[in-house]
Amino acid sequence: PDLTGQEDDDSRQELGTLKTLRGIIDWLAAAAAKSHQQSGIDRGQADQGNSRSAEQGIHSIKQQNTSRFLLNMVETEHPEETFTVADGAVFIITDDGEGFAEAFAAELLRLDARPVIVQSGDSIKEIDKGRYQANFEVPEAAAELVTAVRQYGPIAGIIHLLPFQGKPDITGMKLADWRLWLRLNVKGLFNLVQAAADDLKKTEETGGGWVVAAVASGGNIGYDINKDSPCFPGNGGIFGLINTIAAEWPQIKCKAIGLEKEIKTSTLAATMLKEMAAEDHIVEVAYKDNIRYLLGVNQRTLPDKSPQAINIKSDWVIMVTGGARGITAEIALELAEKYSPTLILVGRSAPPDEESVETVELESAGELKKALIDKVKLSGRQPNLVEIEKTYGKICREREMRKNISAMERAGARVYYLQADVCNESSFVKTINSIYEKYDRLDGVIHGAGIIEDKLLESKTPESFDRVFDTKADSAFILSRALCPDSLKFLVFFSSIACFGNRGQCDYAATNEVVNKLAVFLDRQWPARIISALWGPWAKTGMASSEVQRQFAEKGIELVQPADGRRWLDRELKLGRKGEVAIVFGSGPWAAMGTDNFSFKDRLPLLKKINFIQSGKTSVTAERILTPKEDLYLNDHVLDKNPVLPMVMAMELMAEVVQQNWSDMYVTSVHSLQVFKGIVVDEDEKKVLINASPGNSAAGENGIFEVEVKISPTDNAIRPFYKCIVCLEKKGSTPPAFDSSRFENLDSFPMPVEDLYLKWLFHGACFQGITMIEGISEQAVCGILKSIPPAVCLAKTPENKNWLLDPVILDSSLQLVILWKRHYQDMTPLPFAIKRYRKFAPFTSGSIRCCVQLENSNKGQLVKADMFFLDDENRLLAMLEGVEASCSKSLNRLAGNS
């Protein structure tokens, strides 16, 4: 907007009298506030139709063109940070018994930390100073141990090295040995972390907050590295558990690391410390031949035909665990309708009885419950509402079972229901043997048995953890022992995307990751096709409650429609290939990352030194330390001898925080950028807070999701430095037509490009992006710009990291405005507001053409500009619109600081 009138003229003349950087910055902030107040921020009027309720947001996630993804391992760079810790910080280290714990403890002692080594034993006792024995697989003993260790101070970290003590041989393992290993290594870690939760979360007091585990994996954490030496499946429980801890406690540094046992302990300890220092937020890593790998997700479509196709026939016998209800019943019905095989349904519940005449005709819950109450009254007893609800639930479950079995039979399948406890080895094995005895075959198995009892880690009881974890982990192991692999055609485990880490599902995440890794192991041992299907929440059926479904939907995770889920698994069996085991069905945050890891945080350069205090879909709070020692670009943006955070770098930081947290969509624009107060780093470092919260609960009709972001002082979040709105979309928008006629017939620029940064500009090497001035006129200036990568602008940053918005390119376009203003009026402008930045395609070419359209107002004391960024084929890549800058001759003094 134009700022006109005598008051504004006087104000802009006042700018020319200001001599200090602080005065200039405060003046620009006041101008920006006034500018935005007068404009009314017309964005709000333009986009009023964008907001939708959270409930609508859930139903807007469709199953069209749903994708298929395979889990794999992706090579990545080594962390370069140096581990530091507060003096005297206390670490509990579980003892591997083979020297790793001692080597790691020695490293911590060298750093003046306080390690306490704990070995597994029958009772709690202090063996020596700084060394304990404890039966931490028992929750009460773990709590007692943590209390005893607190004599040295609050617990800063749990370092779980017990799983490194050996690589168990699962081939000859008995169920009792399997359970013992999981109890010690997975449940033992759960017990310790839960007992030390209060200490671990108080990171500022302890100077820590680490939960780290190392497993002896041969450099393999379960997928496509070192196929001849697969990961021990039990390790999956550790990875799934730590993923959930990371999700529930974002302020804690969590790591699950697969290491080669043959490496000397001093090298292993050094690797552990590097991982603990790493700022990349990667939870799962593995090392093989000194190459670092992380968990990746690759999109892979099914072929139209497959030479390995599984052609199910009507004489096949297929066992389906999980009863005759929910997801497994949906899959069984699909098989019945397409192939009419013999279906053996196995569940814990007894076969459904015929319903009594008193209730068989009743439909509504009210009618049913009234009939049950009346029946109890007729017997002369007082109705017990708890018992009424229990009976009502049983009637509903049995109705569903009868309905599903009847539908399968009508489709032509021969259906038999067998009752068995899949966690009871004797019961389950007896049931499986009976199938072989009767049919002399078992062609396929779909193992869907499982339960959930969602609670945050601190509220999760050991008994609940056991029920959820054992149901899947033990039953899958029993299956691996009871089935005849030579005649089996396929085995499908039902797993879940919860293994990536989901709040409230520490036990469910842990057990599903055990299943995933067991599936990989069996696939390499057996000729049958083995699949671990990582389902998202199923709509209207399955175990996910409406609240869990809502949480997944807010994360951009597709709800699986039953009809789609049925078809996907059938197609997978028909067209998938052996060796493709852990498969994610449907779209979610992982889809945004294409062939790599599904998190942005290891790619966005300004997040390297960021601490996410709070992370979620309703709001994000992060702390970032700005220091010229690490943020090298600050040394090249100096005004009056003080490093100043450039406006475009603040915009990049805000956009990166949003992209990290809402990683299922892409940042496509930033608008209404306001400067309330510039950020001067006039000391060794400056801490700032970044807060982001959605402006609307779901994407609008045009698919745009808005997030309000501000950068504030750590001691006063109410008065921000910067504020803007970052917009995300599922896919980018089409650029408008670009009119190049406005930038033709320009005059040549009188100064050689090598003199620009010596005479008229104040920018150092990190921001010297102008390589050519094509021409200039009274309304325009055009130049060629180059990007300068994060590796140059930030200390210890790998060369493969890229900017999200590219602040160097954007700042270079603002430099063109300075050159234009100096050329015509010998004044230096400083920007204080940006209306909108839109990006249509990445800046992938080596050079970017930038055309700037300009106009003066307020007697030349205000300049307004629009920038157009084009590739070498003149295609529009991005636009920077409504840039406003205040101008003064006194600011010419800033030039030449490079």
Side-chain angles (χ1 to χ4, degrees):
D2 284 322
L3 299 180
T4 57
Q6 183 61 45
E7 179 183 350
D8 296 305
D9 278 349
D10 294 342
S11 178
R12 295 189 185 284
Q13 289 172 8
E14 177 187 333
L15 175 64
T17 68
L18 298 174
K19 302 299 183 185
T20 67
L21 173 63
R22 186 71 66 185
I24 293 168
I25 287 176
D26 289 347
W27 189 95
L28 290 172
K34 189 168 186 178
S35 169
H36 281 83
Q37 183 178 12
Q38 282 192 233
S39 72
I41 310 182
D42 55 6
R43 173 205 57 80
Q45 300 168 4
D47 297 332
Q48 279 182 346
N50 288 355
S51 62
R52 302 176 80 185
S53 68
E55 189 67 29
Q56 289 172 316
I58 291 175
H59 297 298
S60 71
I61 299 174
K62 304 297 183 184
Q63 292 294 328
Q64 298 173 355
N65 301 318
T66 303
S67 300
R68 169 184 183 266
F69 300 84
L70 303 180
L71 300 192
N72 69 343
M73 303 304 299
V74 178
E75 185 177 340
T76 188
E77 68 274 3
H78 285 241
E80 298 183 7
E81 294 84 355
T82 301
F83 181 74
T84 58
V85 66
D87 289 352
V90 178
F91 289 83
I92 292 177
I93 306 172
T94 63
D95 192 2
D96 64 309
E98 299 181 13
F100 190 4
E102 279 78 5
F104 188 76
E107 289 294 314
L108 290 178
L109 282 171
R110 183 179 59 80
L111 296 168
D112 295 324
R114 186 61 189 263
V116 176
I117 297 177
V118 181
Q119 64 187 50
S120 178
D122 294 332
S123 60
I124 295 177
K125 63 180 179 181
E126 189 170 12
I127 301 171
D128 198 355
K129 193 172 181 63
R131 182 179 287 273
Y132 281 80
Q133 172 187 288
N135 186 17
F136 49 82
E137 64 186 277
V138 177
E140 295 79 10
E144 188 178 345
L145 170 67
V146 168
T147 300
V149 173
R150 281 198 182 109
Q151 66 174 302
Y152 300 115
I155 312 301
I158 304 291
I159 311 299
H160 194 37
L161 301 186
L162 179 64
F164 199 78
Q165 66 183 336
K167 188 176 177 183
D169 180 12
I170 190 174
T171 306
M173 184 175 276
K174 303 295 185 185
L175 179 61
D177 299 325
W178 169 260
R179 286 174 169 167
L180 175 61
W181 195 98
L182 294 174
R183 194 167 65 245
L184 278 170
N185 292 279
V186 180
K187 297 178 183 179
L189 176 59
F190 166 77
N191 293 336
L192 288 172
V193 171
Q194 189 180 59
D198 289 342
D199 289 1
L200 292 171
K201 293 195 297 182
K202 295 176 182 177
T203 56
E204 292 183 1
E205 295 178 20
T206 63
W210 286 272
V211 176
V212 182
V215 302
S217 66
N220 183 3
I221 58 174
Y223 301 105
D224 62 355
I225 307 173
N226 196 13
K227 293 185 178 182
D228 294 332
S229 180
C231 175
F232 174 63
N235 289 335
I238 296 167
F239 285 83
L241 174 59
I242 291 183
N243 275 331
T244 302
I245 297 169
E248 292 191 16
W249 301 344
Q251 71 272 40
I252 301 296
K253 287 190 175 181
C254 297
K255 287 284 181 180
I257 311 169
L259 297 168
E260 295 176 273
K261 200 167 181 63
E262 297 74 20
I263 305 299
K264 61 182 181 180
T265 56
S266 59
T267 302
L268 294 172
T271 300
M272 287 277 288
L273 289 177
K274 282 286 187 183
E275 286 295 340
M276 291 172 67
E279 297 289 347
D280 55 17
H281 304 276
I282 300 172
V283 177
E284 297 187 53
V285 296
Y287 284 81
K288 174 68 177 174
D289 298 329
N290 200 36
I291 299 174
R292 184 181 186 235
Y293 296 89
L294 55 80
L295 180 66
V297 180
N298 285 66
Q299 186 168 359
R300 291 287 185 271
T301 57
L302 286 168
D304 294 331
K305 295 181 180 181
S306 171
Q308 302 175 340
I310 295 174
N311 298 309
I312 299 175
K313 300 176 182 177
S314 62
D315 63 344
W316 281 27
V317 178
I318 300 172
M319 180 176 73
V320 182
T321 69
R325 301 172 52 241
I327 296 175
T328 51
E330 292 284 352
I331 299 298
L333 183 56
E334 182 76 6
L335 298 178
E337 291 175 349
K338 288 193 172 176
Y339 309 109
S340 302
T342 296
L343 293 173
I344 312 295
L345 309 181
V346 178
R348 253 184 327 193
S349 303
D353 297 324
E354 290 297 321
E355 191 169 344
S356 66
V357 293
E358 293 95 337
T359 61
V360 71
E361 299 294 333
L362 304 178
E363 295 293 335
S364 71
E367 289 177 321
L368 265 171
K369 291 177 183 178
K370 183 178 183 302
L372 294 173
I373 291 171
D374 291 343
K375 184 176 180 180
V376 171
K377 286 181 178 179
L378 284 174
S379 69
R381 294 184 295 114
Q382 187 65 26
N384 181 310
L385 293 182
V386 174
E387 296 232 353
I388 295 296
E389 286 293 335
K390 185 177 179 181
T391 305
Y392 167 73
K394 182 174 183 289
I395 290 173
C396 291
R397 288 192 298 272
E398 291 188 344
R399 281 184 174 183
E400 184 182 355
M401 292 169 71
R402 283 192 295 269
K403 176 185 174 183
N404 289 332
I405 291 172
S406 177
M408 295 173 207
E409 290 175 334
R410 287 198 306 272
R414 299 161 298 284
V415 185
Y416 302 92
Y417 183 90
L418 302 178
Q419 183 180 10
D421 181 355
V422 294
C423 293
N424 183 296
E425 186 174 26
S426 175
S427 171
F428 197 16
V429 171
K430 183 179 179 180
T431 299
I432 294 170
N433 288 342
S434 71
I435 297 172
Y436 280 115
E437 289 170 6
K438 182 174 181 178
Y439 299 99
D440 196 29
R441 64 191 297 173
L442 187 48
D443 300 281
V445 174
I446 296 174
H447 185 47
I451 61 172
I452 60 171
E453 297 178 9
D454 291 355
K455 287 282 186 182
L456 294 176
L457 187 144
E458 291 165 89
S459 303
K460 171 66 65 172
T461 66
E463 295 78 16
S464 176
F465 191 102
D466 287 346
R467 283 192 296 271
V468 174
F469 187 84
D470 295 349
T471 297
K472 269 187 176 287
D474 286 357
S475 62
F477 181 87
I478 294 168
L479 264 179
S480 74
R481 292 293 176 269
L483 294 175
C484 298
D486 292 339
S487 59
L488 190 71
K489 308 298 190 307
F490 69 84
L491 167 58
V492 179
F493 293 103
F494 276 17
S495 182
S496 168
I497 57 169
C499 65
F500 295 147
N502 194 45
R503 287 171 54 84
Q505 294 191 310
C506 60
D507 42 12
Y508 196 59
T511 195
N512 276 293
E513 188 63 356
V514 170
V515 167
N516 292 341
K517 288 179 168 54
L518 178 62
V520 173
F521 175 84
L522 294 177
D523 178 71
R524 293 168 186 171
Q525 305 295 317
W526 293 2
R529 175 83 197 282
I530 314 294
I531 298 170
S532 188
L534 279 73
W535 297 112
W538 281 50
K540 300 181 181 179
T541 189
M543 295 184 292
S545 65
S546 59
E547 181 57 33
V548 170
Q549 291 184 18
R550 180 188 301 275
Q551 291 174 12
F552 277 123
E554 288 175 352
K555 295 177 182 179
I557 295 172
E558 282 186 330
L559 302 182
V560 180
Q561 302 301 324
D564 293 327
R566 289 166 51 165
R567 285 193 293 268
W568 291 336
L569 189 57
D570 176 54
R571 282 176 51 79
E572 187 65 49
L573 289 171
K574 277 200 247 184
L575 301 174
R577 297 184 304 173
K578 182 166 176 60
E580 296 179 339
V581 182
I583 305 169
V584 182
F585 292 96
S587 292
W590 47 87
M593 294 307 295
T595 61
D596 289 323
N597 191 29
F598 56 83
S599 173
F600 279 90
K601 52 199 171 189
D602 63 315
R603 293 183 160 205
L604 299 174
L606 292 183
L607 300 189
K608 181 181 178 183
K609 291 292 182 181
I610 203 164
N611 175 31
F612 282 92
I613 301 169
Q614 176 188 347
S615 181
K617 292 305 172 186
T618 56
S619 67
V620 179
T621 302
E623 182 183 77
R624 177 67 157 81
I625 298 176
L626 299 171
T627 168
K629 183 179 178 181
E630 300 285 342
D631 297 285
L632 304 179
Y633 62 86
L634 288 172
N635 301 302
D636 291 327
H637 196 264
V638 175
L639 305 181
D640 286 338
K641 299 183 179 180
N642 286 308
V644 177
L645 183 73
M647 174 189 289
V648 290
M649 200 64 77
M651 188 164 72
E652 170 80 15
L653 177 58
M654 291 187 282
E656 286 189 17
V657 168
V658 171
Q659 184 64 88
Q660 161 58 26
N661 199 67
W662 286 273
S663 58
D664 55 311
M665 304 178 79
Y666 296 98
V667 169
T668 56
S669 64
V670 177
H671 56 82
S672 303
L673 177 63
Q674 303 177 61
V675 186
F676 296 98
K677 192 176 183 65
I679 301 176
V680 182
V681 187
D682 47 10
E683 297 180 357
D684 290 340
E685 65 179 39
K686 190 177 193 72
K687 289 184 180 180
V688 296
L689 288 178
I690 304 97
N691 180 267
S693 56
N696 52 348
S697 59
E701 294 294 339
N702 56 0
I704 298 175
F705 186 88
E706 296 184 350
V707 181
E708 296 177 359
V709 197
K710 61 182 180 180
I711 302 177
S712 310
T714 54
D715 58 352
N716 189 356
I718 297 175
R719 299 187 65 183
F721 294 116
Y722 285 92
K723 187 176 181 181
C724 73
I725 294 173
V726 177
C727 297
L728 305 104
E729 301 177 60
K730 286 287 186 184
K731 58 182 180 179
S733 54
T734 303
F738 174 65
D739 181 8
S740 60
S741 63
R742 295 169 291 175
F743 305 101
E744 296 174 354
N745 302 317
L746 301 179
D747 298 328
S748 61
F749 190 73
M751 186 183 296
V753 70
E754 55 266 20
D755 290 345
L756 301 179
Y757 293 98
L758 295 173
K759 296 182 178 180
W760 282 359
L761 299 173
F762 57 84
H763 304 76
C766 285
F767 292 100
Q768 293 181 0
I770 300 176
T771 62
M772 179 188 296
I773 304 296
E774 286 188 338
I776 194 166
S777 73
E778 292 187 357
Q779 291 81 36
V781 59
C782 292
I784 303 298
L785 313 179
K786 69 175 181 178
S787 179
I788 295 175
V792 175
C793 300
L794 298 159
K796 298 179 181 178
T797 298
E799 293 184 0
N800 63 349
K801 289 201 176 185
N802 297 306
W803 300 113
L804 184 61
L805 306 181
D806 204 324
V808 176
I809 290 286
L810 300 185
D811 196 271
S812 299
S813 73
L814 298 175
Q815 296 167 31
L816 291 175
V817 178
I818 296 177
L819 298 177
W820 180 85
K821 193 68 177 176
R822 287 296 301 264
H823 175 66
Y824 284 108
Q825 295 177 298
D826 196 31
M827 300 173 76
T828 295
L830 287 182
F832 62 83
I834 294 175
K835 181 180 179 181
R836 182 166 60 171
Y837 171 67
R838 290 188 287 169
K839 191 170 184 178
F840 309 110
F843 295 145
T844 54
S845 61
S847 60
I848 302 295
R849 184 173 184 237
C850 180
C851 297
V852 186
Q853 184 174 334
L854 304 108
E855 70 174 289
N856 281 310
S857 61
N858 288 68
K859 300 179 181 179
Q861 294 176 339
L862 173 69
V863 63
K864 295 191 289 184
D866 294 320
M867 290 79 164
F868 304 87
F869 302 90
L870 305 115
D871 63 13
D872 24 2
E873 295 184 14
N874 225 35
R875 290 176 297 196
L876 189 61
L877 303 176
M879 296 171 62
L880 193 59
E881 304 168 275
V883 176
E884 296 181 272
S886 290
C887 313
S888 168
K889 285 184 180 292
S890 71
L891 298 179
N892 293 351
R893 71 180 188 275
L894 300 176
N897 281 354
S898 62

